[in-house]
Amino acid sequence: MPLRPPAGFIRPGYDPLKVPDAPTIGTATAGTPDSGSVSVAFTAPSNVGGSAISAYYAVSNPGQITSSGASSPVTVTGLTSGTSYTFTVWALNTYGPSPYSASSGSVTPAAARGVFGGNSDTGSNVIQYITIATTGNAIDFGDLSLGFVGGPAGCASSTRGLFGGGFASSVYINNIEYITIATTGNALDFGDLTVARGYLAACSSSVTGVFAGGYTPTIQNVIDWVTIASTGNATDFGDLYTAASDIVGCASPTRGVFSGGYTPTTINIIQYITIATTGNSADFGDLLSARYDVMSCSSSTRGIMAGGNNAGNTNVIQYITIASLGDAIDFGDLLAANSNGAGCSSSTRGVFGGGSSTNVIQYVTIATTGDATDFGDLLSNAAYIAACSNAHGGL
């Protein structure tokens, strides 16, 4: 990009001898997946010219998409996920614009990716993924180290996905494994849960992953937590106020929610935790009816619970406002009655994959009630699977 004043800022009073020097470019860092944003850091010029700098402008290449701010960094929004960009910065004072800085290194805003792991229908250890904003069939990602045959749980930060627990080779396991969501490949060992168990639930903030409940071979009330960025064994968090297996979890950035389950009767209980504060769960409200093996996902404000089983599968989708205690509300219907699948989400779209003898993937727009729409297919029929994403509501 040429080192000249940007067009449109050459106005009466422009004085090239009194404009600021060019800022010194720093590092451009992609925002959370599917945000379409990049944070552009820079150092202000030591020579500000004839008056104080009133604003800094960061400009993308390609696209010339521009955002402004009073200091470093400036966040540029409206970018396209999957496109590589560089950025330049310029400063403005009363006398006009500075020259452009040098270009930043290239950075690519990430797309929201959903990842499904395990498969009790075939005893598979396959990991597969989708791009949440783009309908289509799932693609092979890699393999879990164990052939999960039922009931792992998944959670994630914006970069790393975790799969914990499950039932493998006729044994309940305490394994936690991790993947780098943006990079395909096999899962790696992370550490261990405090108690080996399957049919548990998980949720996460951007920092902390939480695993709750499960079965091994008695119904558990234990809640564990890990720091997602740091491998190691889980630590005790507290207890569910109602022990449950076959439950599901979702989260806002601060609150985790666990819904339904079996204990040893089917329950409609919703319970919650404050993710940053260890302690026991508390009552949130009730599902529309008792059910277990529900699928769940969330935006930062709304949790979605879909399907489930109670003497037969259901197609009901329901939702809660995560910040407000209360009972679930009807959202719409799945394409067909289903249970035992898994849910993941971006900030706007919830996706449900697999379930009882099906490979169907379907989606909803989280902020808008209505029935689910076909998304594509998993690689094969898949039940008692886990899912996570790099852009869910807990981030």
Side-chain angles (χ1 to χ4, degrees):
M1 189 172 289
L3 298 178
R4 58 174 175 78
F9 286 87
I10 308 304
R11 300 169 180 164
Y14 170 67
D15 186 341
L17 299 179
K18 294 183 179 181
V19 301
D21 286 348
T24 301
I25 196 65
T27 301
T29 305
T32 56
D34 249 21
S35 66
S37 67
V38 168
S39 176
V40 183
F42 56 89
T43 301
S46 56
N47 177 16
V48 300
S51 68
I53 292 172
S54 58
Y56 296 91
Y57 293 78
V59 185
S60 74
N61 184 26
Q64 311 302 298
I65 299 169
T66 303
S67 294
S68 63
S71 60
S72 175
V74 169
T75 299
V76 182
T77 60
L79 304 169
T80 301
S81 296
T83 298
S84 179
Y85 294 92
T86 61
F87 296 86
T88 53
V89 178
W90 55 276
L92 180 69
N93 70 8
T94 301
Y95 297 98
S98 75
Y100 289 104
S101 71
S103 293
S104 71
S106 63
V107 61
T108 302
R113 176 177 280 189
V115 183
F116 298 88
N119 182 352
S120 70
D121 272 6
T122 63
S124 171
N125 64 348
V126 168
I127 310 170
Q128 49 195 303
Y129 75 94
I130 56 170
T131 300
I132 294 176
T134 307
T135 57
N137 296 335
I139 299 169
D140 184 70
F141 186 99
D143 294 323
L144 297 169
S145 65
L146 296 174
F148 288 156
V149 295
C155 62
S157 68
S158 62
T159 57
R160 176 177 280 185
L162 303 183
F163 296 99
F167 186 81
S169 302
S170 302
V171 176
Y172 289 102
I173 60 173
N174 64 352
N175 298 59
I176 309 172
E177 301 184 63
Y178 75 94
I179 56 170
T180 301
I181 295 177
T183 307
T184 58
N186 296 335
L188 301 173
D189 182 64
F190 183 95
D192 295 327
L193 297 171
T194 61
V195 177
R197 60 201 193 269
Y199 313 115
L200 67 167
C203 65
S204 61
S205 67
S206 60
V207 174
T208 302
V210 180
F211 298 88
Y215 186 82
T216 181
T218 57
I219 295 169
Q220 297 290 312
N221 68 346
V222 63
I223 310 173
D224 298 345
W225 69 275
V226 296
T227 300
I228 298 175
S230 304
T231 57
N233 296 335
T235 302
D236 183 68
F237 184 98
D239 294 327
L240 294 174
Y241 86 90
T242 299
S245 66
D246 301 275
I247 60 175
V248 292
C250 63
S252 71
T254 57
R255 177 175 281 182
V257 179
F258 304 106
S259 301
Y262 188 81
T263 181
T265 58
T266 307
I267 59 174
N268 66 346
I269 291 170
I270 308 171
Q271 46 193 309
Y272 76 96
I273 57 169
T274 301
I275 297 177
T277 307
T278 57
N280 298 336
S281 70
D283 183 64
F284 184 98
D286 293 327
L287 296 173
L288 294 173
S289 63
R291 62 192 64 188
Y292 60 96
D293 292 337
V294 181
M295 301 177 286
S296 184
C297 63
S298 63
S299 67
S300 61
T301 57
R302 179 176 279 188
I304 306 289
M305 287 72 72
N309 191 332
N310 184 11
N313 291 339
T314 179
N315 67 345
V316 172
I317 309 171
Q318 51 196 299
Y319 75 94
I320 56 170
T321 301
I322 297 176
S324 304
L325 305 185
D327 297 339
I329 299 170
D330 184 69
F331 185 97
D333 293 327
L334 295 171
L335 296 173
N338 195 13
S339 65
N340 308 326
C344 59
S345 58
S346 68
S347 60
T348 58
R349 176 176 281 186
V351 180
F352 306 105
S356 302
S357 300
T358 184
N359 66 343
V360 171
I361 310 171
Q362 49 196 302
Y363 74 93
V364 296
T365 301
I366 297 176
T368 308
T369 57
D371 296 340
T373 302
D374 184 69
F375 185 98
D377 295 326
L378 295 173
L379 296 173
S380 63
N381 289 354
Y384 289 110
I385 58 176
C388 61
S389 79
N390 57 2
H392 61 85
L395 302 179

Coordinates of all heavy atoms in Angstrom, one line a residue, residues 162-248:
L162 N -11.8 -30.7 23.9 CA -11.5 -31.8 24.9 C -12.6 -32.8 24.8 O -13.8 -32.5 24.7 CB -11.4 -31.3 26.3 CG -10.4 -30.2 26.7 CD1 -10.5 -30.0 28.2 CD2 -9.0 -30.6 26.3
F163 N -12.2 -34.1 24.8 CA -13.2 -35.2 25.0 C -12.8 -36.0 26.2 O -11.7 -36.5 26.3 CB -13.1 -36.1 23.7 CG -13.6 -35.4 22.5 CD1 -12.6 -35.0 21.6 CD2 -14.9 -35.3 22.2 CE1 -13.0 -34.3 20.4 CE2 -15.3 -34.6 21.0 CZ -14.4 -34.1 20.1
G164 N -13.8 -36.2 27.1 CA -13.5 -36.8 28.4 C -14.4 -37.9 28.8 O -15.6 -37.8 28.5
G165 N -13.9 -39.0 29.4 CA -14.6 -40.1 29.8 C -15.2 -40.9 28.7 O -14.8 -40.8 27.6
G166 N -16.1 -41.8 29.0 CA -16.7 -42.7 28.1 C -16.6 -44.2 28.5 O -16.2 -44.5 29.6
F167 N -17.0 -45.0 27.6 CA -17.1 -46.5 27.9 C -16.4 -47.2 26.7 O -16.9 -47.2 25.6 CB -18.6 -46.9 28.0 CG -18.8 -48.3 28.4 CD1 -18.7 -48.7 29.7 CD2 -19.1 -49.3 27.4 CE1 -18.9 -50.0 30.1 CE2 -19.3 -50.6 27.8 CZ -19.2 -51.0 29.1
A168 N -15.2 -47.6 27.0 CA -14.4 -48.2 25.9 C -13.9 -49.6 26.3 O -13.5 -49.9 27.4 CB -13.1 -47.4 25.6
S169 N -14.1 -50.5 25.3 CA -13.7 -51.9 25.5 C -14.2 -52.5 26.8 O -13.5 -53.2 27.6 CB -12.1 -52.0 25.5 OG -11.6 -51.6 24.3
S170 N -15.5 -52.2 27.0 CA -16.3 -52.7 28.2 C -15.8 -52.2 29.5 O -16.0 -52.8 30.6 CB -16.2 -54.3 28.2 OG -16.7 -54.8 27.0
V171 N -15.0 -51.1 29.5 CA -14.5 -50.5 30.7 C -14.8 -49.0 30.7 O -14.6 -48.3 29.7 CB -13.0 -50.7 30.8 CG1 -12.4 -49.9 32.0 CG2 -12.6 -52.1 30.8
Y172 N -15.3 -48.4 31.8 CA -15.5 -47.0 32.0 C -14.1 -46.4 32.1 O -13.2 -46.9 32.8 CB -16.4 -46.7 33.2 CG -17.8 -47.0 33.0 CD1 -18.4 -48.2 33.5 CD2 -18.6 -46.2 32.2 CE1 -19.7 -48.5 33.3 CE2 -19.9 -46.5 31.9 CZ -20.5 -47.7 32.5 OH -21.8 -48.0 32.3
I173 N -13.9 -45.3 31.5 CA -12.5 -44.7 31.4 C -12.5 -43.3 32.0 O -13.6 -42.6 32.1 CB -12.0 -44.6 30.0 CG1 -12.9 -43.8 29.1 CG2 -11.8 -46.0 29.4 CD1 -12.3 -43.6 27.7
N174 N -11.3 -42.9 32.5 CA -11.2 -41.5 33.0 C -10.3 -40.6 32.0 O -10.0 -39.5 32.4 CB -10.6 -41.5 34.4 CG -9.2 -42.0 34.4 OD1 -8.7 -42.6 33.4 ND2 -8.5 -42.0 35.6
N175 N -10.0 -41.1 30.8 CA -9.2 -40.4 29.9 C -9.8 -39.1 29.5 O -11.0 -39.0 29.2 CB -9.0 -41.2 28.6 CG -8.3 -42.5 28.9 OD1 -8.7 -43.4 29.7 ND2 -7.1 -42.8 28.2
I176 N -9.0 -38.1 29.4 CA -9.3 -36.8 28.7 C -8.3 -36.7 27.6 O -7.1 -36.8 27.8 CB -9.2 -35.6 29.6 CG1 -10.0 -35.8 30.9 CG2 -9.7 -34.3 28.9 CD1 -9.7 -34.7 31.9
E177 N -8.8 -36.4 26.4 CA -7.9 -36.2 25.2 C -8.2 -34.8 24.6 O -9.3 -34.3 24.8 CB -8.2 -37.3 24.1 CG -8.0 -38.7 24.6 CD -8.1 -39.7 23.5 OE1 -7.4 -39.7 22.6 OE2 -9.0 -40.5 23.7
Y178 N -7.3 -34.3 23.8 CA -7.5 -33.0 23.3 C -7.1 -32.9 21.8 O -6.3 -33.7 21.3 CB -6.7 -31.9 24.0 CG -5.3 -31.8 23.8 CD1 -4.7 -31.0 22.8 CD2 -4.4 -32.6 24.5 CE1 -3.3 -30.9 22.6 CE2 -3.0 -32.6 24.3 CZ -2.5 -31.7 23.4 OH -1.1 -31.7 23.2
I179 N -7.7 -32.0 21.1 CA -7.4 -31.7 19.7 C -7.2 -30.2 19.6 O -7.7 -29.4 20.4 CB -8.5 -32.1 18.7 CG1 -9.8 -31.5 19.1 CG2 -8.6 -33.7 18.7 CD1 -10.9 -31.7 18.1
T180 N -6.4 -29.8 18.6 CA -6.4 -28.4 18.1 C -7.5 -28.2 17.0 O -7.3 -28.8 16.0 CB -5.0 -28.0 17.6 OG1 -4.1 -28.2 18.6 CG2 -5.0 -26.5 17.2
I181 N -8.5 -27.5 17.3 CA -9.7 -27.5 16.5 C -9.5 -27.1 15.1 O -10.0 -27.6 14.1 CB -10.9 -26.7 17.1 CG1 -11.3 -27.4 18.5 CG2 -12.1 -26.6 16.2 CD1 -12.3 -26.6 19.2
A182 N -8.6 -26.1 14.9 CA -8.4 -25.6 13.5 C -7.5 -26.5 12.7 O -7.3 -26.3 11.5 CB -7.7 -24.2 13.6
T183 N -6.8 -27.5 13.3 CA -5.9 -28.3 12.6 C -6.3 -29.8 12.7 O -6.3 -30.3 13.8 CB -4.5 -28.1 13.3 OG1 -4.1 -26.8 13.3 CG2 -3.4 -28.9 12.5
T184 N -6.6 -30.4 11.6 CA -6.9 -31.8 11.7 C -5.8 -32.7 12.2 O -4.6 -32.4 12.0 CB -7.4 -32.3 10.3 OG1 -6.3 -32.1 9.4 CG2 -8.6 -31.6 9.8
G185 N -6.1 -33.8 12.8 CA -5.1 -34.8 13.3 C -5.7 -35.6 14.5 O -6.8 -35.3 14.9
N186 N -5.0 -36.5 14.9 CA -5.4 -37.4 16.0 C -5.4 -36.7 17.4 O -4.6 -35.8 17.6 CB -4.6 -38.7 16.1 CG -4.7 -39.5 14.8 OD1 -5.7 -39.5 14.1 ND2 -3.6 -40.3 14.5
A187 N -6.3 -37.1 18.3 CA -6.3 -36.6 19.6 C -5.1 -37.0 20.4 O -4.5 -38.1 20.2 CB -7.6 -37.0 20.3
L188 N -4.7 -36.2 21.4 CA -3.6 -36.4 22.2 C -4.0 -36.5 23.7 O -5.0 -35.9 24.1 CB -2.5 -35.3 22.1 CG -2.0 -35.1 20.7 CD1 -1.1 -33.8 20.6 CD2 -1.2 -36.3 20.2
D189 N -3.2 -37.2 24.5 CA -3.5 -37.3 25.9 C -3.5 -36.0 26.6 O -2.5 -35.2 26.5 CB -2.6 -38.3 26.6 CG -2.9 -38.5 28.0 OD1 -4.0 -39.1 28.3 OD2 -2.1 -38.1 28.9
F190 N -4.5 -35.7 27.4 CA -4.6 -34.4 28.2 C -4.3 -34.7 29.7 O -3.6 -34.0 30.3 CB -5.9 -33.8 28.0 CG -6.1 -32.5 28.7 CD1 -5.9 -31.3 28.0 CD2 -6.6 -32.4 30.0 CE1 -6.0 -30.0 28.6 CE2 -6.7 -31.2 30.6 CZ -6.4 -30.0 29.9
G191 N -5.0 -35.7 30.2 CA -4.9 -36.1 31.6 C -6.1 -37.0 32.0 O -6.6 -37.7 31.1
D192 N -6.5 -37.0 33.2 CA -7.5 -37.9 33.7 C -8.6 -37.2 34.5 O -8.3 -36.2 35.2 CB -6.9 -39.0 34.6 CG -6.0 -39.9 33.9 OD1 -6.2 -40.2 32.7 OD2 -5.0 -40.4 34.5
L193 N -9.8 -37.6 34.4 CA -10.9 -37.2 35.2 C -10.7 -37.7 36.7 O -9.9 -38.7 36.8 CB -12.2 -37.8 34.7 CG -12.7 -37.3 33.4 CD1 -13.9 -38.1 32.9 CD2 -13.0 -35.8 33.4
T194 N -11.3 -37.2 37.6 CA -11.2 -37.6 39.0 C -11.8 -39.0 39.2 O -11.4 -39.8 40.1 CB -11.8 -36.6 40.0 OG1 -13.2 -36.5 39.8 CG2 -11.1 -35.3 39.9
V195 N -12.9 -39.3 38.4 CA -13.6 -40.5 38.5 C -13.8 -41.0 37.1 O -14.3 -40.3 36.2 CB -14.9 -40.4 39.2 CG1 -15.7 -41.7 39.2 CG2 -14.8 -39.9 40.6
A196 N -13.5 -42.3 36.8 CA -13.8 -42.9 35.5 C -15.3 -43.0 35.3 O -15.9 -43.6 36.2 CB -13.1 -44.3 35.4
R197 N -15.8 -42.6 34.2 CA -17.2 -42.7 34.0 C -17.6 -42.3 32.6 O -16.9 -41.7 31.9 CB -18.0 -41.7 35.0 CG -17.6 -40.2 34.8 CD -18.0 -39.5 36.1 NE -18.0 -38.1 36.0 CZ -16.9 -37.3 36.2 NH1 -15.8 -37.9 36.5 NH2 -17.0 -36.0 36.2
G198 N -18.8 -42.8 32.2 CA -19.3 -42.5 30.9 C -20.7 -41.8 31.1 O -21.2 -41.6 32.2
Y199 N -21.3 -41.4 29.9 CA -22.6 -40.8 29.9 C -22.7 -39.5 30.8 O -23.6 -39.3 31.5 CB -23.7 -41.8 30.3 CG -23.5 -43.1 29.6 CD1 -23.2 -44.3 30.3 CD2 -23.7 -43.2 28.2 CE1 -23.0 -45.5 29.6 CE2 -23.5 -44.4 27.5 CZ -23.2 -45.5 28.2 OH -23.0 -46.7 27.6
L200 N -21.6 -38.8 30.7 CA -21.5 -37.5 31.5 C -21.7 -36.3 30.6 O -21.9 -36.5 29.4 CB -20.1 -37.5 32.2 CG -18.9 -37.3 31.3 CD1 -17.7 -36.9 32.2 CD2 -18.5 -38.6 30.5
A201 N -21.7 -35.1 31.2 CA -21.9 -33.9 30.5 C -20.7 -33.0 30.6 O -19.9 -33.2 31.6 CB -23.1 -33.2 31.0
A202 N -20.5 -32.1 29.7 CA -19.4 -31.1 29.8 C -19.9 -29.7 29.3 O -20.8 -29.6 28.5 CB -18.2 -31.6 29.0
C203 N -19.2 -28.7 29.8 CA -19.4 -27.3 29.2 C -18.2 -26.6 29.5 O -17.2 -27.1 30.2 CB -20.6 -26.7 29.9 SG -20.5 -26.4 31.6
S204 N -18.1 -25.4 29.0 CA -16.8 -24.6 29.3 C -17.0 -23.1 29.1 O -17.9 -22.7 28.3 CB -15.7 -25.1 28.3 OG -16.1 -24.9 27.0
S205 N -16.1 -22.4 29.7 CA -15.9 -21.0 29.4 C -14.7 -20.9 28.4 O -14.3 -22.0 27.9 CB -15.6 -20.2 30.7 OG -14.3 -20.6 31.2
S206 N -14.2 -19.8 28.2 CA -13.0 -19.7 27.3 C -11.7 -20.3 28.0 O -10.8 -20.5 27.3 CB -12.7 -18.2 26.9 OG -12.5 -17.4 28.1
V207 N -11.8 -20.5 29.3 CA -10.6 -20.9 30.0 C -10.8 -22.3 30.7 O -9.9 -23.1 30.6 CB -10.3 -19.9 31.1 CG1 -9.2 -20.4 32.0 CG2 -10.0 -18.5 30.5
T208 N -12.0 -22.6 31.2 CA -12.2 -23.7 32.1 C -13.2 -24.7 31.5 O -14.3 -24.3 31.0 CB -12.8 -23.3 33.5 OG1 -11.8 -22.3 34.1 CG2 -13.0 -24.4 34.4
G209 N -12.8 -26.0 31.4 CA -13.7 -27.0 31.0 C -14.2 -27.7 32.3 O -13.5 -28.0 33.2
V210 N -15.5 -28.1 32.2 CA -16.2 -28.7 33.4 C -16.9 -30.0 32.9 O -17.6 -30.0 31.9 CB -17.2 -27.7 34.0 CG1 -17.9 -28.4 35.2 CG2 -16.6 -26.4 34.4
F211 N -16.7 -31.1 33.7 CA -17.3 -32.4 33.4 C -18.2 -32.7 34.6 O -17.7 -32.7 35.7 CB -16.2 -33.4 33.1 CG -15.4 -33.2 32.0 CD1 -14.2 -32.4 32.1 CD2 -15.7 -33.7 30.7 CE1 -13.4 -32.2 31.0 CE2 -14.9 -33.5 29.6 CZ -13.8 -32.7 29.7
A212 N -19.4 -33.2 34.3 CA -20.3 -33.4 35.4 C -21.1 -34.6 35.3 O -21.5 -35.0 34.2 CB -21.3 -32.2 35.5
G213 N -21.4 -35.3 36.4 CA -22.3 -36.5 36.4 C -21.7 -37.6 35.7 O -20.5 -37.8 35.5
G214 N -22.5 -38.6 35.3 CA -22.1 -39.8 34.6 C -22.4 -41.1 35.4 O -23.1 -41.1 36.4
Y215 N -21.9 -42.2 34.9 CA -22.2 -43.5 35.4 C -21.0 -44.4 35.3 O -20.3 -44.4 34.4 CB -23.3 -44.1 34.4 CG -23.8 -45.4 34.9 CD1 -24.8 -45.5 35.9 CD2 -23.4 -46.6 34.4 CE1 -25.3 -46.7 36.3 CE2 -23.8 -47.8 34.8 CZ -24.8 -47.9 35.8 OH -25.3 -49.1 36.2
T216 N -20.8 -45.1 36.5 CA -19.5 -45.9 36.5 C -19.4 -46.9 37.7 O -18.5 -46.8 38.5 CB -18.3 -44.9 36.6 OG1 -17.1 -45.7 36.6 CG2 -18.3 -44.0 37.8
P217 N -20.1 -48.0 37.8 CA -21.4 -48.2 37.2 C -22.6 -47.7 38.1 O -23.7 -48.2 37.9 CB -21.4 -49.7 37.1 CG -20.6 -50.2 38.3 CD -19.6 -49.1 38.5
T218 N -22.3 -46.8 39.0 CA -23.3 -46.2 39.8 C -23.5 -44.7 39.2 O -22.5 -44.2 38.7 CB -23.0 -46.2 41.3 OG1 -21.8 -45.5 41.5 CG2 -23.0 -47.6 41.8
I219 N -24.6 -44.1 39.5 CA -24.9 -42.8 39.0 C -24.1 -41.8 39.9 O -24.0 -41.9 41.1 CB -26.4 -42.5 39.0 CG1 -27.1 -43.4 38.1 CG2 -26.6 -41.0 38.7 CD1 -28.6 -43.4 38.2
Q220 N -23.4 -40.9 39.2 CA -22.4 -40.0 39.9 C -23.0 -38.5 40.0 O -23.7 -38.1 39.2 CB -21.1 -39.9 39.0 CG -20.4 -41.2 38.9 CD -19.8 -41.7 40.2 OE1 -19.2 -40.9 40.9 NE2 -20.1 -42.9 40.6
N221 N -22.5 -37.9 41.1 CA -22.8 -36.4 41.2 C -21.6 -35.6 41.1 O -21.7 -34.4 41.3 CB -23.6 -36.2 42.5 CG -22.7 -36.4 43.8 OD1 -21.6 -37.0 43.7 ND2 -23.1 -35.9 44.9
V222 N -20.4 -36.2 40.8 CA -19.2 -35.5 40.8 C -19.1 -34.5 39.7 O -19.6 -34.7 38.6 CB -18.0 -36.4 40.8 CG1 -18.0 -37.2 39.5 CG2 -16.7 -35.7 41.0
I223 N -18.5 -33.3 40.0 CA -18.2 -32.3 39.0 C -16.7 -32.1 39.0 O -16.1 -31.9 40.1 CB -18.9 -30.9 39.2 CG1 -20.4 -31.1 39.4 CG2 -18.6 -30.0 38.1 CD1 -21.1 -29.8 39.8
D224 N -16.0 -32.2 37.9 CA -14.6 -31.9 37.7 C -14.3 -30.7 36.9 O -15.2 -30.3 36.1 CB -13.9 -33.1 37.0 CG -14.0 -34.4 37.7 OD1 -14.3 -34.5 38.8 OD2 -13.7 -35.4 37.0
W225 N -13.1 -30.1 37.0 CA -12.7 -29.0 36.1 C -11.3 -29.1 35.7 O -10.4 -29.7 36.4 CB -13.0 -27.7 36.8 CG -12.1 -27.3 37.9 CD1 -12.3 -27.6 39.2 CD2 -10.9 -26.5 37.8 NE1 -11.2 -27.1 40.0 CE2 -10.4 -26.4 39.2 CE3 -10.2 -25.9 36.8 CZ2 -9.2 -25.7 39.5 CZ3 -9.1 -25.2 37.1 CH2 -8.6 -25.1 38.4
V226 N -11.0 -28.6 34.5 CA -9.6 -28.5 34.0 C -9.4 -27.1 33.4 O -10.4 -26.4 33.1 CB -9.3 -29.5 32.9 CG1 -9.4 -30.9 33.5 CG2 -10.3 -29.3 31.7
T227 N -8.2 -26.7 33.3 CA -7.8 -25.5 32.5 C -7.5 -26.0 31.1 O -6.5 -26.7 30.9 CB -6.6 -24.8 33.2 OG1 -6.9 -24.4 34.5 CG2 -6.2 -23.5 32.3
I228 N -8.3 -25.5 30.2 CA -8.2 -26.1 28.8 C -6.9 -26.0 28.2 O -6.4 -26.8 27.5 CB -9.4 -25.6 27.9 CG1 -10.7 -25.9 28.5 CG2 -9.3 -26.1 26.5 CD1 -11.9 -25.3 27.8
A229 N -6.2 -24.8 28.4 CA -4.9 -24.6 27.8 C -3.8 -25.4 28.4 O -2.7 -25.4 27.8 CB -4.6 -23.1 27.8
S230 N -4.0 -26.0 29.5 CA -2.9 -26.7 30.2 C -3.2 -28.1 30.5 O -4.1 -28.4 31.2 CB -2.6 -26.0 31.6 OG -2.4 -24.6 31.4
T231 N -2.4 -29.0 29.9 CA -2.7 -30.4 30.1 C -2.5 -30.8 31.5 O -1.7 -30.2 32.2 CB -1.8 -31.3 29.2 OG1 -0.4 -31.0 29.4 CG2 -2.1 -31.1 27.7
G232 N -3.2 -31.8 32.0 CA -3.1 -32.2 33.4 C -4.4 -32.9 33.8 O -5.4 -32.8 33.2
N233 N -4.4 -33.5 35.0 CA -5.5 -34.1 35.5 C -6.6 -33.2 36.0 O -6.3 -32.0 36.4 CB -5.1 -35.1 36.7 CG -4.2 -36.2 36.2 OD1 -4.3 -36.6 35.1 ND2 -3.4 -36.7 37.2
A234 N -7.8 -33.6 36.0 CA -8.9 -32.8 36.5 C -8.9 -32.6 38.0 O -8.3 -33.5 38.7 CB -10.3 -33.4 36.1
T235 N -9.5 -31.6 38.5 CA -9.6 -31.2 39.9 C -11.1 -31.2 40.3 O -12.0 -30.8 39.5 CB -9.0 -29.9 40.1 OG1 -7.6 -29.9 39.7 CG2 -9.0 -29.5 41.6
D236 N -11.4 -31.6 41.5 CA -12.8 -31.6 42.0 C -13.3 -30.2 42.0 O -12.7 -29.2 42.5 CB -12.8 -32.2 43.4 CG -14.2 -32.2 43.9 OD1 -15.0 -33.0 43.4 OD2 -14.6 -31.5 44.9
F237 N -14.5 -30.0 41.5 CA -15.2 -28.7 41.4 C -16.3 -28.6 42.5 O -16.5 -27.6 43.1 CB -15.8 -28.6 40.0 CG -16.4 -27.2 39.7 CD1 -15.7 -26.2 39.1 CD2 -17.7 -27.0 40.1 CE1 -16.3 -25.0 38.8 CE2 -18.4 -25.7 39.9 CZ -17.6 -24.7 39.2
G238 N -17.0 -29.7 42.7 CA -18.1 -29.7 43.6 C -19.0 -30.9 43.2 O -18.6 -31.9 42.6
D239 N -20.3 -30.8 43.6 CA -21.3 -31.9 43.3 C -22.5 -31.3 42.6 O -23.0 -30.2 42.9 CB -21.7 -32.6 44.6 CG -20.5 -33.3 45.3 OD1 -19.6 -33.8 44.5 OD2 -20.5 -33.3 46.5
L240 N -23.1 -32.2 41.7 CA -24.4 -31.9 41.3 C -25.4 -32.0 42.5 O -25.2 -32.9 43.3 CB -24.8 -32.9 40.2 CG -24.1 -32.8 38.9 CD1 -24.5 -34.0 38.0 CD2 -24.3 -31.5 38.2
Y241 N -26.4 -31.2 42.5 CA -27.4 -31.4 43.6 C -28.3 -32.5 43.4 O -28.9 -33.1 44.3 CB -28.1 -30.1 43.9 CG -29.4 -29.8 43.1 CD1 -30.6 -30.3 43.6 CD2 -29.3 -29.1 41.9 CE1 -31.8 -30.0 42.9 CE2 -30.5 -28.9 41.2 CZ -31.7 -29.4 41.7 OH -32.8 -29.1 41.0
T242 N -28.4 -33.0 42.1 CA -29.0 -34.2 41.8 C -28.1 -35.1 41.0 O -27.8 -34.7 39.8 CB -30.4 -34.0 41.1 OG1 -31.2 -33.3 41.9 CG2 -31.0 -35.3 40.7
A243 N -27.6 -36.2 41.5 CA -26.7 -37.1 40.7 C -27.5 -37.5 39.5 O -28.7 -37.8 39.5 CB -26.3 -38.3 41.5
A244 N -26.8 -37.6 38.3 CA -27.4 -37.9 37.1 C -26.4 -38.4 36.1 O -25.3 -37.9 36.0 CB -28.2 -36.7 36.5
S245 N -26.8 -39.4 35.3 CA -26.1 -39.8 34.1 C -27.0 -39.4 32.9 O -28.1 -39.0 33.0 CB -25.8 -41.3 34.1 OG -27.1 -42.0 34.0
D246 N -26.4 -39.5 31.7 CA -27.1 -39.2 30.4 C -27.6 -37.8 30.4 O -28.7 -37.5 30.0 CB -28.2 -40.2 30.2 CG -27.7 -41.7 30.1 OD1 -27.3 -42.1 29.0 OD2 -27.7 -42.3 31.2
I247 N -26.8 -36.9 31.0 CA -27.2 -35.5 31.0 C -26.4 -34.7 30.0 O -25.5 -35.3 29.3 CB -27.0 -34.8 32.4 CG1 -25.5 -34.9 32.8 CG2 -27.8 -35.5 33.5 CD1 -25.2 -34.2 34.1
V248 N -26.8 -33.4 29.8 CA -26.1 -32.6 28.8 C -25.7 -31.3 29.4 O -26.3 -30.8 30.4 CB -26.9 -32.4 27.5 CG1 -27.0 -33.7 26.7 CG2 -28.3 -31.8 27.8

